[in-house]
Amino acid sequence: MKIQSVRCVYFSPTGTTKTIAESITQGISPEFVEMIDITKRLQRNSQPLLDKDDIVILATPVYYGRVPEEIIPYLTSLKAARTPVVLVAVYGNRAYEDALKELHDIAVDAKFIPVAGGAFVAEHSYSSKTYPIAPNRPDESDIQKAREFGAAIRKKLQNAESSEHLTALTIPGQSPYIEPVNLNINPAKKYSKQIK
Ligand SMILES: Cc1cc2nc3c(=O)[nH]c(=O)nc-3n(C[C@H](O)[C@H](O)[C@H](O)COP(=O)(O)O)c2cc1C
């Protein structure tokens, strides 16, 4: 299969998913790259045209072990054409739980063909000087690993007649997916109930 174009769809409020996605793209090293940033709501108004000859990267941070709820409507509205897809979940060194599996299932429903998937550690969005969680990640070694992952994807696809001929991926995770817990104990919510 010829490696021509990569369209990389990413959601990245604090920038680490973007860095990983860019590094994977560099490793794939296609002739044409389109970076599709869906971080802001307004950026989710239009749909990319996806051809079966594109390689798409879907890259998302992990929120509560899942794909962020905010971008599910956008992701489920994508229309692929048996397009090869690389699934990427970036997490803050706690756990990625069912996020990669959920992303995989969304992609299959949208008529993508998953060809590779990876979970990458990055600094947690809630990391601080007092409570550091994976500070300054992705570092040089993480970026190198992401590039090598991209290069391995390039090799895999180049050696395949088409993405239809690849073995299906086995993605870790459970179904039904983990339900976020402890979200209803926000004191502000309790307070708003009291003043009703
Ligand atoms: C609301 C929220 C929930 C999160 N849940 C998880 C989680 O379940 N596991 C984990 O390891 N990191 C979790 N994180 C950390 C992010 O996955 C991590 O910081 C990621 O690198 C952020 O990506 P970005 O820099 O592209 O925004 C969470 C972050 C936020 C804001």
Side-chain angles (χ1 to χ4, degrees), residues 11-18 61-66 90-97 122-126:
F11 175 71
S12 189
T14 63
T16 61
T17 304
K18 180 180 182 202
V62 173
Y63 285 1
Y64 313 112
R66 301 276 301 271
V90 179
Y91 67 108
N93 212 19
R94 185 190 69 77
Y96 63 94
E97 287 165 321
E123 177 161 344
H124 201 293
S125 323
Y126 297 156

Side-chain angles (χ1 to χ4, degrees), residues 184-195:
N184 292 322
I185 56 168
N186 180 345
K189 260 194 174 170
K190 273 193 192 155
Y191 180 70
S192 66
K193 269 187 190 156
Q194 283 165 9
I195 59 169

Side-chain angles (χ1 to χ4, degrees), residues 11 19 52 108 123 127 139 182 196:
F11 175 71
T19 303
K52 73 170 173 29
V108 169
E123 177 161 344
S127 178
D139 56 20
N182 293 338
K196 262 184 190 169

